[in-house]
Amino acid sequence: MSTHDQHGSGRRCAHRPWRTRLLAAAGAGALLLASGAIAPSAAAKDGGGGDGGDKVLNVAVAQSVDSLSPFLAVRLLSTSIHRLTYEYLTNYDAKDNHVIPGLATEWKSSPDKLTWTYTIRSDSKWSDGEQATAEDAAWTFNTMMTDPGAATANGSFVGNFAKVTAPSPTQLVIRLKKPQATMTALDVPIVPKHVWEKVDDFSKFNNDKDFPVVGNGPFVLTDYKPDSYVRLKANKDFWRGAPKFDELVFRYYKDQDAAVAALRKGEVSFVAGSPSLTPAQADSLKGQENIRVNDAPGRRFYALATNPGARAKDGTKFGDGDPSLLDQRVRNALFMAVDRKAIVDKVFQGHAVEGAGYIPPRFSSYFFEPSSGQELAYDPERAAKLLDEAGYRKNADGKRLGKDGKPLDYRVLCHATDPNDKAVGKYLQEWWGELGISVTLDCLDNVTDPWLAGKYDLAFDGWSVNPDPDFVLSIHTCAALPATPKDTGATDNFICDKQYDELYARQLGEYDAGKRAEVVNQMQSRLYDTGYMNVMAYPNAVEAYRTDQIKSITTMPSDAGNIYGQDGYWSWWSAVPADSGDSSGSSSSTGTVIGIAAGVVVLAGLGVLLAVRRRASADDRE
């Protein structure tokens, strides 16, 4: 599943400046991180303490949990936790994102692609000792198919399922209505039937009262305190092998500078930011003893989402988005009045590349770039003319007036904890102010509530994209809208476009990789032209950790990738404590990282073209 940033889970090579930086840096390779210093794990605090000599890995995060139920969670932190606690049918290899076995050891389809049979491994046990079986997977999917509450987060994956059965404990059979290209990329946590069948209301059950939570992943969820910490213990019986740290604790910091300070003091071993460190924070860590910064191409996009007129599937309109934004000319004008190069250079200080489509250049085959005639390039004069043509002219005071005769003043939702939102917001006030449009920044700790209620004009948005792009594309279909205004849908920002939906259905049923990529690019082109989403940048993953606490850790992809928020559990499962005496590194993929520290070359803007995925919520979808 994608993760939302919001809100908090592509590629075609072209002529853009990012390509030059990517190719120049890609040949530099990556370094296996090893530290000569030996020190104990980070100090145990606020729910992070281990027992006796337990090795505890403390990770500072700038996002809180939205739900510990895999049926509801969409934020990056929450979905990352679920990747650690539950197996999916398949996984993605840390080296290059290709599909590998997970709970399923193998799979095959019928000639017509309508029946898929998965062999479920016999060596996976739930943490309460029960065997994990095909019946657990069948129950998970059937529950999502029949209960709208259980389909909240990942319902798009099963919308085309006709029937799911488990003929034996090791055989799962899924019958489809139409061919579906995502059958080896069903990013859905499989839960234990014997535990979850007792739940009465999946739309309200957050799975945050009884611990330990029964799972079959590399870690077991043992404790949780809202807006404080999430604590997990290594699953010694995990079929792929036990993690090398005994415990993993995600500690929430509302103040990102405080999280960086905690890293310096050794109170945490790793800091990810929200979701990345700012350039200033990364620079402040350069040359610090026992600290390394990972700066690599990310799997996220950073965007401005426009309220297209919030509505439900039943046709009911709600929210209070400015009616001027229903005009494509107005949306395109705002698009052309945003200098994306300035955002990359001045806000991200080069630790990002300019945006366009939904899929970052790291996922090259799905990456979209507009044609020269299509591009909504930075052109304030053309933007002003478009607004005039649309009937939104300036008065004698230079204020652009709406159809009601009142000056346009757009409310922009932003995350109070994200310094990038605030910095870009100031530029918007300047750029759109020159058009005669006022901007009011509405920076909140919780942007989810007004977002879901449609009470905004524009909002800073972002998603982590998975190697298979289906999920991040599905959140803009009409099917993703909430059933009624009182319900929560899977939609990102209420887009419902017939042409886009037709393209979505085509890509879902296309098994030819090249042809599917063409359709995915057409979908991104449609979103670009309509102007509902202005993808401004693809930020790098900028994160840091202590080498006197972590000897080695796996990035994804291994040559130059991220540590936090991976499409899998590789980083935390592979992490080797500095005082472990283990010289083997990770037991699967080699742990690699681009280090920014004393004696290590800074590789700003490094990029490798690979693959992508899912949605972040109003506060950071996956």
Side-chain angles (χ1 to χ4, degrees):
M1 112 191 211
S2 279
T3 305
H4 198 197
D5 218 20
Q6 190 176 354
H7 115 124
S9 170
R11 330 147 166 160
R12 196 135 289 152
C13 296
H15 56 280
R16 294 280 227 215
W18 64 263
R19 189 181 183 215
T20 302
R21 290 199 296 266
L22 288 176
L23 296 179
L31 302 174
L32 176 62
L33 292 182
S35 170
I38 303 296
S41 303
K45 300 196 177 186
D46 297 332
D51 297 325
D54 283 357
K55 295 178 175 63
V56 183
L57 174 54
N58 282 296
V59 175
V61 294
Q63 183 186 57
S64 58
V65 168
D66 57 340
S67 177
L68 289 177
S69 166
F71 295 111
L72 301 178
V74 293
R75 291 185 187 170
L76 181 59
L77 174 60
S78 308
T79 56
S80 296
I81 291 169
H82 290 141
R83 286 188 178 277
L84 295 170
T85 54
Y86 301 103
E87 277 281 34
Y88 296 28
L89 286 183
T90 59
N91 209 327
Y92 302 102
D93 188 81
K95 182 178 181 180
D96 59 7
N97 289 321
H98 74 269
V99 175
I100 61 173
L103 184 61
T105 59
E106 57 184 355
W107 45 87
K108 61 181 179 180
S109 69
S110 59
D112 62 5
K113 304 292 187 183
L114 291 177
T115 301
W116 284 76
T117 302
Y118 301 82
T119 300
I120 303 301
R121 64 177 57 257
S122 58
D123 57 351
S124 177
K125 289 183 178 294
W126 299 110
S127 52
D128 63 359
E130 294 285 333
Q131 181 71 35
T133 69
E135 181 60 29
D136 295 305
W139 184 89
T140 298
F141 291 129
N142 279 311
T143 301
M144 293 169 62
M145 292 164 60
T146 57
D147 190 312
T152 300
N154 296 304
S156 63
F157 287 110
V158 301
N160 182 46
F161 286 14
K163 187 177 182 180
V164 183
T165 58
S168 76
T170 58
Q171 188 179 66
L172 174 73
V173 179
I174 300 177
R175 178 76 178 172
L176 303 174
K177 300 172 185 176
K178 298 180 294 184
Q180 180 170 324
T182 62
M183 296 308 289
T184 59
L186 298 173
D187 295 318
V188 176
I190 303 302
V191 301
K193 174 185 176 182
H194 66 282
V195 174
W196 284 84
E197 65 184 351
K198 302 171 185 176
V199 174
D200 294 325
D201 188 344
F202 288 95
S203 67
K204 296 180 180 179
F205 181 70
N206 282 313
N207 195 31
D208 57 1
K209 296 295 186 290
D210 296 321
F211 298 97
V213 172
V214 177
N216 63 339
F219 289 89
V220 178
L221 181 55
T222 59
D223 196 12
Y224 165 64
K225 183 178 180 181
D227 297 326
S228 183
Y229 65 83
V230 181
R231 184 178 179 183
L232 304 101
K233 193 165 187 174
N235 180 0
K236 302 299 183 182
D237 297 320
F238 182 51
W239 68 269
R240 201 185 289 272
K244 295 177 176 60
F245 275 94
D246 299 300
E247 289 189 334
L248 171 64
V249 182
F250 293 100
R251 296 177 57 193
Y252 172 67
Y253 286 81
K254 182 177 179 180
D255 185 332
Q256 190 162 303
D257 286 332
V260 172
L263 181 75
R264 283 199 188 92
K265 291 184 283 188
E267 295 174 350
V268 297
S269 303
F270 179 96
V271 61
S274 66
S276 294
L277 299 179
T278 66
Q281 289 166 340
D283 288 344
S284 74
L285 294 172
K286 292 179 184 179
Q288 295 287 310
E289 185 178 4
N290 299 325
I291 291 179
R292 295 202 183 201
V293 176
N294 181 41
D295 185 354
R299 55 183 280 246
R300 305 185 65 76
F301 65 77
Y302 181 74
L304 266 176
T306 304
N307 186 340
R311 54 180 156 167
K313 288 180 184 177
D314 64 6
T316 304
K317 296 181 179 180
F318 57 96
D320 58 4
D322 194 295
S324 65
L325 296 173
L326 300 179
D327 191 322
Q328 181 175 328
R329 293 170 295 181
V330 173
R331 299 193 299 270
N332 287 349
L334 296 178
F335 209 131
M336 289 187 288
V338 173
D339 188 344
R340 288 175 289 285
K341 184 177 186 302
I343 289 174
V344 168
D345 292 343
K346 297 180 180 180
V347 176
F348 291 100
Q349 296 181 27
H351 299 271
V353 293
E354 290 181 46
Y358 260 41
I359 311 213
R362 164 169 157 175
F363 303 108
S364 57
S365 55
Y366 294 115
F367 180 64
F368 161 79
E369 286 193 303
S371 63
S372 57
Q374 177 187 22
E375 184 179 9
L376 297 171
Y378 179 57
D379 190 342
E381 291 185 7
R382 175 61 181 145
K385 290 180 181 178
L386 265 182
L387 291 170
D388 289 341
E389 292 172 9
Y392 296 92
R393 297 181 176 275
K394 288 183 178 180
N395 63 11
D397 296 326
K399 300 293 184 182
R400 191 80 56 174
L401 302 180
K403 297 299 176 65
D404 59 1
K406 297 179 180 179
L408 292 178
D409 183 0
Y410 292 141
R411 301 158 299 159
V412 180
L413 272 178
C414 79
H415 304 85
T417 58
D418 192 337
N420 293 325
D421 285 7
K422 296 174 183 178
V424 174
K426 291 186 181 299
Y427 279 109
L428 295 180
Q429 290 175 327
E430 174 187 338
W431 294 328
W432 293 353
E434 293 174 356
L435 294 176
I437 297 173
S438 298
V439 173
T440 300
L441 292 178
D442 193 9
C443 296
L444 306 172
D445 290 334
N446 172 21
V447 304
T448 302
D449 291 344
W451 191 298
L452 296 179
K455 295 184 176 181
Y456 65 98
D457 297 323
L458 298 106
F460 288 102
D461 195 5
W463 288 90
S464 292
V465 184
N466 294 4
D468 188 288
D470 179 75
F471 182 87
V472 80
L473 299 173
S474 75
I475 59 179
H476 294 308
T477 61
C478 299
L481 294 174
T484 72
K486 295 181 179 180
D487 295 309
T488 299
T491 185
D492 182 26
N493 66 315
F494 305 103
I495 295 174
C496 180
D497 178 78
K498 182 178 179 182
Q499 183 176 332
Y500 180 88
D501 275 18
E502 291 173 350
L503 291 169
Y504 176 77
R506 282 178 54 194
Q507 70 81 31
L508 185 62
E510 181 57 71
Y511 280 83
D512 182 280
K515 292 180 180 178
R516 186 182 181 211
E518 290 178 5
V519 179
V520 169
N521 274 265
Q522 291 176 43
M523 296 175 69
Q524 294 181 85
S525 179
R526 177 64 179 170
L527 286 175
Y528 184 90
D529 290 342
T530 55
Y532 291 121
M533 295 292 297
N534 180 356
V535 178
M536 298 177 288
Y538 309 110
N540 283 7
V542 185
E543 49 203 2
Y545 69 95
R546 295 195 63 91
T547 56
D548 56 350
Q549 297 175 9
I550 302 175
K551 176 186 290 186
S552 65
I553 194 166
T554 298
T555 62
M556 184 178 187
S558 57
D559 284 344
N562 55 293
I563 295 172
Y564 178 71
Q566 294 181 353
D567 294 298
Y569 40 66
W570 310 114
S571 54
W572 313 125
W573 172 72
S574 72
V576 177
D579 60 349
S580 68
D582 187 337
S583 60
S584 63
S586 64
S587 59
S588 176
S589 302
T590 301
T592 57
V593 163
I594 301 302
I596 300 180
V600 180
V601 178
V602 178
L603 300 179
L606 177 68
V608 170
L609 309 178
L610 284 169
V612 56
R613 184 188 194 251
R614 177 179 195 160
R615 127 180 188 175
S617 92
D619 294 314
D620 198 43
R621 309 178 183 183
E622 182 185 351

